[in-house]
């Protein structure tokens, strides 16, 4: 019930694009959308956003349960922009309607990053 929809992914990408220039410490890759990956996004966006509520990011973003239609296997080290492009292409190839927009099961967004043992 914690799948993410394409508009939500795009929203996260836009947020990251606006803020990633201030993220990162010794890892400058977190400051560029060309190289920002899920390891960075988890550190700088997902965990800070979900800390107070101890939940998944989808639980914060969704207004109702979002049952997955698609399971996404991916590498956390892949740039987020490339990942979103792939999901957009899949959505187009499969003629996914704007109403459904997936939804896609993506572990980083669906799992509670504060209690992974309970979700995995």
């Amino acid at each position: 019930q914690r799948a993410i929809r394409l508009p939500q992914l795009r929203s996260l990408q836009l947020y990251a694009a606006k803020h990633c220039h201030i993220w990162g410490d010794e890892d400058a890759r977190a400051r560029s959308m060309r190289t920002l990956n899920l390891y960075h996004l988890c550190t700088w966006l997902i965990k800070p956003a979900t800390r107070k509520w101890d939940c998944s990011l989808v639980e914060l973003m969704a207004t109702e349960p979002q049952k997955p239609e698609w399971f996404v296997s991916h590498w956390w080290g892949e740039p987020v922009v490339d990942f979103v492009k792939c999901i957009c292409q899949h959505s187009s190839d499969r003629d996914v309607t704007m109403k459904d927009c997936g939804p896609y099961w993506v572990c980083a967004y669906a799992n509670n990053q504060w209690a992974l043992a309970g979700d995995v």
Side-chain angles (χ1 to χ4, degrees):
Q1 304 298 328
R2 292 178 281 172
I4 194 162
R5 297 181 185 283
L6 186 53
Q8 293 167 326
L9 272 176
R10 287 184 176 146
S11 174
L12 288 172
Q13 184 178 359
L14 287 173
Y15 181 89
K18 288 180 183 177
H19 296 89
C20 71
H21 67 281
I22 61 171
W23 295 343
D25 39 31
E26 68 279 348
D27 190 351
R29 291 174 302 160
R31 293 188 212 112
S32 168
M33 284 304 290
R34 289 188 325 260
T35 53
L36 181 79
N37 62 43
L38 275 175
Y39 294 111
H40 303 129
L41 206 60
C42 190
T43 298
W44 295 101
L45 182 116
I46 297 170
K47 286 183 113 177
T50 59
R51 178 179 310 217
K52 181 178 178 180
W53 293 275
D54 190 29
C55 65
S56 73
L57 191 61
V58 170
E59 289 172 297
L60 283 182
M61 298 179 76
T63 57
E64 61 187 14
Q66 297 179 164
K67 184 179 177 184
E69 293 292 326
W70 303 96
F71 175 85
V72 181
S73 179
H74 61 97
W75 174 47
W76 275 45
E78 171 185 35
V80 170
V81 293
D82 292 345
F83 176 80
V84 174
K85 283 180 190 175
C86 289
I87 296 298
C88 288
Q89 186 64 53
H90 176 270
S91 179
S92 175
D93 291 349
R94 300 288 185 241
D95 197 26
V96 175
T97 66
M98 275 309 289
K99 179 181 177 284
D100 295 331
C101 298
Y104 298 90
W105 176 268
V106 181
C107 62
Y109 308 116
N111 290 337
N112 178 346
Q113 296 300 320
W114 299 102
L116 287 174
D119 279 348
V120 178

